[in-house]
Amino acid sequence: MNIGILGGGAMANVLAAMMEERREKGGQGSFSLAGMIDPLQGETLAKLPSAEVDVVVDFSNPANLGMLADYCREHSCPAVIATTGYDADRIKQIEALATRVPIVFSANYSLGINIMKRVLAEITPILEDTFDMEIIEKHHNKKLDSPSGTALMLLKAMDGADTYDHVFGRDGNRKRGREIGIHAVRGGTIAGEHAVLYAGEDELLEIKHTAGSKKIFAAGALKAAAFVCEADREPGLYTMDHVLFA
């Protein structure tokens, strides 16, 4: 499978290195790098030889969505979108693109986080009446968006019906209501840590995921790339739930 990478930052380089490592090992599931496009260096996806690209994996910036959408539409090319920080208008653009080509779009490609999300959806209805709930996320000091897309993904798993107030970075004097608090920490080289606290009377349940390195996100993105490139994959907007549990 030939993969074009959109992005030239840390995650793009980790993904390229993992692909090279798997290619050297050979066997089924090996990947080849069709090219790496770094928009910060003025490069565009037009540089990629379309005949040699099976899927584009995007680890870049929301500003590059237009370039990605144009390339995928023109060449009927699937995509794995691993960039976070999209606003509502750009999410609509992704949804529109998914009517033309298959897209996997997730805020986090870690297998552990996606298992965690599923667990939260199962236990929140059991605990919500007697437990207070808080989300705390920590990332490195170069991460721009806050709270993280992953924290928002976990929040949606806990409150899919949007029945809670969402309190971001609690401040001031107020009584706690029917709410879920979401808190962001930025510092150092933290690869990513997400914890959900269920605080009840005389007991505390904490469900936590810690990323030891960026390799876990690259591994999940490659799983998503293999999924989206399956021969019978129809256009549509897919998540890691589809990749792991469908």
Side-chain angles (χ1 to χ4, degrees):
M1 180 186 305
N2 297 323
I3 295 180
I5 300 176
L6 178 57
M11 268 310 315
N13 281 283
V14 169
L15 179 62
M18 181 172 288
M19 289 167 55
E20 176 63 18
E21 180 182 342
R22 293 191 180 187
R23 188 189 66 79
E24 289 177 352
K25 290 180 179 178
Q28 287 188 329
S30 62
F31 301 89
S32 296
L33 179 62
M36 182 186 295
I37 302 302
D38 187 355
L40 293 179
Q41 299 300 318
E43 298 174 345
T44 72
L45 284 169
K47 180 180 176 182
L48 284 181
S50 59
E52 300 175 15
V53 178
D54 296 311
V55 57
V56 175
V57 178
D58 176 20
F59 273 111
S60 64
N61 185 282
N64 299 313
L65 178 60
M67 179 202 311
L68 176 67
D70 289 345
Y71 183 90
C72 291
R73 277 194 298 264
E74 181 179 354
H75 302 293
S76 299
C77 182
V80 173
I81 300 178
T83 297
T84 61
Y86 290 104
D87 59 23
D89 287 341
R90 284 185 169 131
I91 289 175
K92 288 180 181 177
Q93 293 178 44
I94 293 171
E95 292 170 346
L97 178 61
T99 66
R100 303 283 297 276
V101 298
I103 302 288
V104 176
F105 178 40
S106 177
N108 192 304
Y109 283 82
S110 154
L111 305 188
I113 277 287
N114 282 279
I115 295 294
M116 179 178 175
K117 183 181 76 168
R118 201 169 179 91
V119 169
L120 297 178
E122 290 287 332
I123 68 173
T124 296
I126 300 170
L127 301 176
E128 61 182 352
D129 290 337
T130 52
F131 283 70
D132 298 323
M133 297 178 289
E134 301 280 306
I135 300 171
I136 304 169
E137 58 98 344
K138 304 174 185 178
H139 282 89
H140 53 84
N141 57 20
K142 292 182 174 59
K143 185 170 177 61
L144 300 178
D145 55 315
S146 177
S148 68
T150 300
L152 296 177
M153 183 176 76
L154 298 178
L155 176 63
K156 186 173 181 180
M158 298 165 68
D159 187 25
D162 200 24
T163 60
Y164 282 83
D165 291 333
H166 302 159
V167 181
F168 296 91
R170 190 176 288 101
D171 187 24
N173 298 304
R174 61 189 295 273
K175 289 184 177 180
R176 185 183 183 97
R178 182 177 170 81
E179 64 191 47
I180 300 175
I182 305 97
H183 312 278
V185 175
R186 296 288 177 269
T189 58
I190 304 169
E193 181 180 299
H194 293 83
V196 176
L197 307 181
Y198 293 88
E201 187 171 351
D202 300 325
E203 60 180 327
L204 173 67
L205 172 64
E206 179 177 2
I207 299 176
K208 181 178 178 181
H209 178 273
T210 301
S213 79
K214 292 180 171 64
K215 290 181 180 180
I216 63 173
F217 310 120
L222 291 179
K223 267 189 176 296
F227 169 89
V228 83
C229 285
E230 290 178 1
D232 59 349
R233 188 66 57 208
E234 295 290 333
L237 189 59
Y238 300 95
T239 69
M240 284 299 283
D241 281 348
H242 296 100
V243 175
L244 298 177
F245 307 116

